[in-house]
Amino acid sequence: MSDLLDESTSADTSTTAPFTPTTDELWAITTEMDVVGDTHAPVDELWAPTTPIRSVTPSGPPPTPTTTLPRRPGPDSPAPIRRPIGKIARNDLLTVFGAMLSSLCLTLLLFGQFTALSGRLGFTIVWFGIFLAVYGLLVSVVDNRPAVIDRVMASLLTASAVLAGAALVSVILFTLWRGRTALLKWNLYTQDMSLAGPLDPLDVGGISHAIVGTFIIIGLSLIFTVPLALICAVYLTETRGPITEFVRSVVTAMTALPSIVAGLFIFATWVLILGQQRSGLAAAFAISLMMLPIIIRSADVVLRLVPGNLREASAALGAPQYRTVWFVVLPTARSGLATSVILGVARGIGETAPVLLVSGVTSTMNTNFRENPMMSLPLATFEFVRSPQPALIARGFATAAVLMLVVLFLFAIARVLGGRQAGQLSNRQRRRAAAKSQKDLERIEGATALDASSTAPAPTPASPPVSPMPGTSP
Amino acid sequence: MTMTTIPVRNADVGPETPIALVSRRGIGDKVFFRGAGLSGMLVLAIMGSVGIFLTYEALQALRAAGFSFVTTSTWQPNASGDGFGIAAVLPFTILIAFISIAIATPIAAGTALFIVEVAPKRLKSTLIAMVDLMAAVPSVVYGLWGLFLLQGQVIGLSRWLNTWMGWFPLFTVSGSDPNNPLASASVYTASTFIAGIVVAMMVLPIQCSVMREVFSQVPIGEREGAFALGSTRWGMIQVVSLPFGRGGIIGGTMLGLGRALGETIAVLLIISPRFDFTIHALESGSNSVSALIASRYTEATEFNLSALMAAGLALFAITLVVNFIASYFIARSRSGAGSEA
């Protein structure tokens, strides 16, 4: 396969003489084809790359076998079996299930009877290995080698996707499951931990302080980052030059900033050098430092996806660039920008390390972001599970579950907003645009009607709609 | 209604003189460009100050420690500057990152190819959302999952690897006794290997989305050409998709590596810190630069902090280099634009 492709690409660039065969030679080639076709060579041989046609020179020795064509089936040969290409064939499905079943039985035998293997993880791995072998064997009964490889690789690809999905599902379900008792207690959402000791049952105390703290911190960092990030992204897309490229590469470099280093930076400057308190504000600074390059990068990508002809149309109508940006570029990319901001928030909201350094740990509600430690959900999770007390660990899982639900919620919003490409409207938006256009039409028609009635009160003769001269149409 | 009017050249005017194509910016545009440039400069100043300040702060410790900063494994910063260095934490960090990459890359590539080539159309957007969601799950949640669920499952695998492949240094565990069925499992807990698996979960979505982006840009003509020549789907992937996406695969892997190097909280939750580097990844105890910073920042004498800054700077520098290599590979590949980080 690869040989064939290489051959064809190299033939394009080779500078051999153009092929100008005479009739005799053409005849020779075609008969050659027939001969090759008659030998019933296996498909591989038929498709084997031969010398390129164009290297044949008319004055040379009798032409060597050149082009080979698979022979058409004669009238007496059996008709080839049609394969359904649109849907999954029943046979394929049965093969997969058969392979699964037999490999399961074999694995059960291995684990239960023959060997001393044990463990769920090992069982799954062995089962999958045996499944691949059995599946390949089953396919090889009816198909040739490339088909067997294709099937086995397809099931490997499927397995890796299933593995990733299973890991995600297990993370989500495990967290919800371990936190279920604490999650269902209402006091989790209404109380803080100031009155609850480590040994108290789950009926006392909650994480209201962490919930409030998370929203304050993330709100502050949104105020810091969003305007700056969006303007900077516009700057990166609307101007070009060495400075722009430099800013872009610095921003790219900063996406590599480990979150702990961002926290350490704010801790050293804000807390130690400027002598400020560890507070929610400091945490917001650290998280902004993390979110800023992420949002700029993704907003930059989104803005670059705005079709160039929209920009040019706006410029052609005489709009200055800032109006083009404000009325064309930003509205077109609105949903993508919202997505990039929300994904940045989802990233920032789950950051534990910088908050640990600069915000500090507390068990009481604190709504003043300028002083005293402020708790956030990931930090609360971290603190809870560091303790050996089962009740606290349960609280930790519940906190993690709340955090995850917040992230899931944000994520769902991002999907609803940004599920489509720039410029594609939702049904509602399309209806709204149509209504606006209809209103514009009415307004224009009303104006022209008024115009006509005011300038030409006399009944105009029923003129033909197409006026012969430009400029006189109503 | 209207007809198109074509301007008629007046023959008396003579040949047209070309007009210089210059546009003068209005006041609005001037303000706009000034403002945009200002925001760019502001971002540049913020980002630059982080790097410069980190270097400046770290210099104190680096000067005191000199070359021993890269050869010492313990971490007891004192003003004489010989008690601390990154000879243990940095190799541990890199080992964790490499284990996570080794686990995540094949799965990420497989998932990306599955989404692009194999999955039915209806499933595609769901799968893409799944990968994005994986990237959005907070790292502390992955840490909990690794600590309370995964660790118990992986110990069996660790023991098996140690028993059967213990001759390979990576899988050696000192103090383990494969022949004793009742041996305590504690030699396998809190290991580099488990931390690597958990970090792999965080790296996977980043790699997968870069690779998916690249694979989905494979020119339709080349794909169909391969199919038309009678290729199977895997044959097409082999000769078209993989060569086309090579840059994206390398770039995505490197981006994931950058993320893996900086991961803090999940690693901190899982490992039990140790300061003598060992290549035996299955053995209990590990460390990383970011975990070191997170656990030691409270010893806030100025010198200790400067030492932590130096460690942070080393981490930042490595991550930076890795990320730049990543963007180089992504930009150089035929599928240049898919460089979303």
Side-chain angles (χ1 to χ4, degrees):
Chain A
M1 191 63 237
S2 74
D3 286 349
L4 194 59
L5 276 190
D6 287 346
E7 188 71 35
S8 61
T9 45
S10 67
D12 285 339
T13 52
S14 62
T15 53
T16 43
F19 177 48
T20 48
T22 60
T23 323
D24 281 3
E25 274 161 359
L26 268 180
W27 184 243
I29 291 170
T30 39
T31 47
E32 194 73 53
M33 277 176 208
D34 281 338
V35 170
V36 173
D38 273 336
T39 55
H40 293 291
V43 178
D44 279 353
E45 248 172 68
L46 278 178
W47 280 109
T50 49
T51 34
I53 300 170
R54 50 186 82 174
S55 64
V56 179
T57 45
S59 60
T64 46
T66 48
T67 310
T68 53
L69 279 182
R71 194 178 132 79
R72 294 239 177 112
D76 52 338
S77 60
I81 307 156
R82 261 180 187 279
R83 288 192 192 200
I85 50 170
K87 54 180 195 223
I88 303 165
R90 202 187 54 176
N91 229 2
D92 295 352
L93 222 58
L94 284 180
T95 316
V96 173
F97 280 119
M100 271 186 183
L101 204 64
S102 78
S103 57
L104 177 64
C105 295
L106 208 57
T107 320
L108 282 173
L109 262 182
L110 274 183
F111 271 63
Q113 304 288 323
F114 294 150
T115 59
L117 295 168
S118 64
R120 256 178 289 173
L121 194 65
F123 185 85
T124 320
I125 294 172
V126 173
W127 182 14
F128 183 65
I130 296 179
F131 165 75
L132 282 186
V134 172
Y135 186 49
L137 197 71
L138 277 182
V139 176
S140 71
V141 173
V142 286
D143 260 322
N144 56 358
R145 216 173 65 96
V148 173
I149 295 175
D150 178 54
R151 299 293 186 80
V152 170
M153 288 319 288
S155 48
L156 265 180
L157 297 184
T158 314
S160 62
V162 167
L163 181 63
L168 178 67
V169 169
S170 98
V171 167
I172 293 175
L173 289 187
F174 176 69
T175 314
L176 288 175
W177 178 249
R178 287 289 295 264
R180 68 192 184 284
T181 39
L183 269 178
L184 294 176
K185 301 245 190 306
W186 192 243
N187 55 300
L188 183 80
Y189 311 102
T190 55
Q191 298 179 3
D192 60 19
M193 287 300 288
S194 55
L195 297 174
L199 292 173
D200 277 334
L202 296 174
D203 296 320
V204 183
I207 52 165
S208 63
H209 58 308
I211 297 175
V212 171
T214 290
F215 280 106
I216 290 178
I217 291 175
I218 210 71
L220 282 174
S221 18
L222 273 180
I223 294 171
F224 296 146
T225 46
V226 169
L228 187 57
L230 292 190
I231 296 176
C232 187
V234 167
Y235 168 71
L236 289 181
T237 42
E238 293 299 316
T239 62
R240 50 179 66 85
I243 303 177
T244 314
E245 279 312 304
F246 183 61
V247 173
R248 182 175 281 140
S249 43
V250 168
V251 168
T252 313
M254 275 300 154
T255 50
L257 184 74
S259 60
I260 189 83
V261 178
L264 197 63
F265 172 73
I266 297 294
F267 184 67
T269 48
W270 185 254
V271 179
L272 294 183
I273 293 181
L274 296 177
Q276 303 290 323
Q277 286 196 9
R278 301 169 86 194
S279 61
L281 186 64
F285 281 148
I287 288 182
S288 304
L289 206 56
M290 279 233 21
M291 276 165 55
L292 192 60
I294 297 176
I295 298 182
I296 293 178
R297 277 285 286 165
S298 49
D300 182 24
V301 172
V302 168
L303 286 179
R304 265 193 284 176
L305 286 180
V306 173
N309 50 11
L310 286 185
R311 269 180 237 253
E312 282 165 16
S314 168
L317 287 173
Q321 200 159 353
Y322 75 96
R323 287 181 75 90
T324 306
V325 169
W326 187 253
F327 289 106
V328 176
V329 176
L330 290 181
T332 311
R334 190 191 290 142
S335 65
L337 291 177
T339 310
S340 64
V341 169
I342 290 173
L343 291 182
V345 169
R347 190 68 199 284
I349 213 170
E351 275 303 337
T352 321
V355 184
L356 172 72
L357 259 68
V358 295
S359 171
V361 177
T362 178
S363 59
T364 54
M365 171 76 87
N366 172 24
T367 51
N368 181 359
F369 57 82
R370 300 202 31 206
E371 46 201 29
N372 293 326
M374 183 181 270
M375 204 62 161
S376 74
L377 283 170
L379 185 55
T381 308
F382 181 65
E383 286 300 317
F384 281 138
V385 299
R386 282 222 286 196
S387 125
Q389 292 297 334
L392 282 187
I393 291 180
R395 282 181 208 275
F397 273 100
T399 317
V402 171
L403 173 63
M404 213 169 53
L405 292 178
V406 171
V407 171
L408 279 181
F409 178 68
L410 285 176
F411 193 77
I413 295 179
R415 287 288 298 171
V416 170
L417 283 179
R420 51 184 68 87
Q421 291 280 315
Q424 282 185 3
L425 304 177
S426 69
N427 281 338
R428 207 165 121 211
Q429 282 170 317
R430 200 174 293 132
R431 273 203 301 276
R432 206 181 294 158
K436 193 159 181 250
S437 158
Q438 183 68 38
K439 208 176 280 172
D440 279 346
L441 181 67
E442 280 165 16
R443 186 169 54 81
I444 293 168
E445 279 180 343
T448 45
L450 205 70
D451 209 34
S453 62
S454 64
T455 53
T460 46
S463 60
V466 179
S467 81
M469 275 161 54
T472 56
S473 67
Chain B
M1 292 255 179
T2 54
M3 284 170 55
T4 314
T5 53
I6 299 170
V8 182
R9 280 264 300 281
N10 197 341
D12 305 338
V13 178
E16 271 184 13
T17 48
I19 306 168
L21 278 175
V22 210
S23 65
R24 222 176 299 127
R25 281 176 183 167
I27 292 183
D29 260 358
K30 272 182 189 156
V31 172
F32 167 71
F33 279 106
R34 232 7 102 60
L38 214 64
S39 79
M41 290 308 112
L42 185 59
V43 169
L44 197 62
I46 295 172
M47 301 299 169
S49 70
V50 176
I52 293 169
F53 182 83
L54 269 181
T55 320
Y56 176 77
E57 282 288 299
L59 270 184
Q60 188 191 0
L62 284 179
R63 260 202 214 107
F67 193 66
S68 76
F69 184 69
V70 285
T71 55
T72 314
S73 359
T74 53
W75 194 266
Q76 265 105 35
N78 51 16
S80 67
D82 51 356
F84 68 99
I86 52 172
V89 284
L90 199 60
F92 266 131
T93 313
I94 294 172
L95 186 60
I96 291 178
F98 271 104
I99 290 174
S100 68
I101 289 295
I103 295 170
T105 307
I107 302 177
T111 309
L113 282 174
F114 179 78
I115 292 174
V116 177
E117 303 293 349
V118 183
K121 269 217 176 82
R122 285 165 297 145
L123 263 181
K124 254 178 210 181
S125 64
T126 317
L127 284 166
I128 294 170
M130 177 195 92
V131 173
D132 289 347
L133 183 60
M134 258 182 117
V137 170
S139 60
V140 70
V141 176
Y142 282 124
L144 283 189
W145 177 78
L147 183 62
F148 288 95
L149 179 69
L150 190 71
Q151 182 148 291
Q153 305 290 321
V154 169
I155 283 175
L157 182 64
S158 295
R159 176 175 288 155
W160 187 85
L161 280 175
N162 176 36
T163 308
W164 297 103
M165 293 201 258
W167 48 268
F168 190 65
L170 199 61
F171 301 130
T172 311
V173 174
S174 53
S176 72
D177 182 8
N179 298 321
N180 178 3
L182 299 174
S184 159
S186 65
V187 284
Y188 301 113
T189 56
S191 67
T192 313
F193 181 56
I194 296 170
I197 297 178
V198 173
V199 174
M201 289 285 294
M202 288 172 244
V203 167
L204 195 150
I206 297 175
Q207 293 183 328
C208 185
S209 56
V210 174
M211 293 182 197
R212 181 183 58 79
E213 194 76 33
V214 173
F215 289 142
S216 65
Q217 287 171 0
V218 171
I220 192 94
E222 286 173 36
R223 286 171 43 116
E224 313 238 304
F227 283 134
L229 289 171
S231 162
T232 58
R233 185 165 50 197
W234 175 250
M236 190 281 291
I237 291 172
Q238 240 181 337
V239 297
V240 178
S241 289
L242 289 179
F244 179 85
R246 194 186 294 130
I249 296 172
I250 298 173
T253 305
M254 299 293 266
L255 271 186
L257 185 62
R259 174 84 198 271
L261 287 169
E263 180 45 45
T264 311
I265 218 73
V267 176
L268 187 63
L269 270 173
I270 286 168
I271 60 162
S272 56
R274 63 186 276 180
F275 283 94
D276 50 325
F277 177 70
T278 166
I279 191 78
H280 307 156
L282 300 178
E283 217 168 286
S284 179
S286 181
N287 218 330
S288 85
V289 174
S290 43
L292 172 81
I293 296 175
S295 55
R296 294 298 184 88
Y297 75 100
T298 38
E299 312 164 354
T301 71
E302 201 184 326
F303 188 79
N304 284 2
L305 206 66
S306 170
L308 287 181
M309 290 268 186
L313 184 69
L315 178 65
F316 180 40
I318 293 178
T319 321
L320 205 60
V321 169
V322 167
N323 266 32
F324 269 121
I325 296 175
S327 47
Y328 170 76
F329 273 111
I330 295 177
R332 218 184 55 137
S333 65
R334 268 174 67 200
S335 45
S339 57
E340 242 175 303

